Amino acid sequence: MKKILTTLTFSFFAFFIVSFAGNYDPGKQVYESFKKDFPHAMQVKWQMERSILQVARFTQNGRAQLAYYKENGEFLGQTWLVELNDLPRKVKEEALHTAGQVDIKSVYIFLPPEGYPYYYITLESNGKTIIKEIDSNGHSSFVSKKRIPII
């Protein structure tokens, strides 16, 4: 699970750097799984990441989201932009603990198909952008230095 989460974390950040010009065909298994998981999705665009992940960028219920799939159609998780005030108490406390020294630019939630969500906080200080991963219990680590634009 840690390896999958690490791969998804990297792909999550790389995904926002890649343009969505054109629309990639994810294949029948992935497409059918996606339609089952997100029947009300609109404006769906597909991208392949790192030759192993099928990523859908879409809106549902007015919220821009990303969904990650293996090539065999297995759902790996989804992510979307959230507000700092909407975070669980422990996560918000950990995010604000760092915020005294840096500016919080964005907050994303990653929700795997099982287990608890992870939160990714984009922080900026002195022109440098860093990403802080916080689990649902408030434990954190820095995972990347790549910049993530808002969905």
Side-chain angles (χ1 to χ4, degrees), residues 28-99:
K28 186 176 180 178
Q29 284 182 298
V30 173
Y31 184 76
E32 287 178 1
S33 293
F34 175 78
K35 291 305 280 180
K36 186 182 96 191
D37 296 336
F38 301 97
H40 303 293
M42 299 173 63
Q43 302 170 335
V44 181
K45 295 195 185 269
W46 288 93
Q47 180 85 20
M48 179 181 263
E49 287 295 324
R50 299 185 65 192
S51 301
I52 58 170
L53 292 176
Q54 314 292 327
V55 185
R57 180 179 187 159
F58 62 100
T59 58
Q60 184 167 281
N61 300 323
R63 178 173 58 199
Q65 300 181 52
L66 302 175
Y68 299 89
Y69 290 85
K70 287 185 179 180
E71 287 181 320
N72 65 2
E74 179 185 348
F75 177 61
L76 298 172
Q78 70 189 98
T79 190
W80 63 89
L81 185 67
V82 295
E83 296 292 326
L84 185 63
N85 290 334
D86 295 333
L87 297 177
R89 183 183 55 80
K90 288 180 181 179
V91 174
K92 184 176 178 181
E93 286 173 0
E94 180 60 26
L96 291 174
H97 173 73
T98 304

Side-chain angles (χ1 to χ4, degrees), residues 6-22:
T6 301
T7 300
L8 288 174
T9 299
F10 176 79
S11 297
F12 170 77
F13 299 123
F15 183 77
F16 285 102
I17 296 169
V18 175
S19 169
F20 270 87

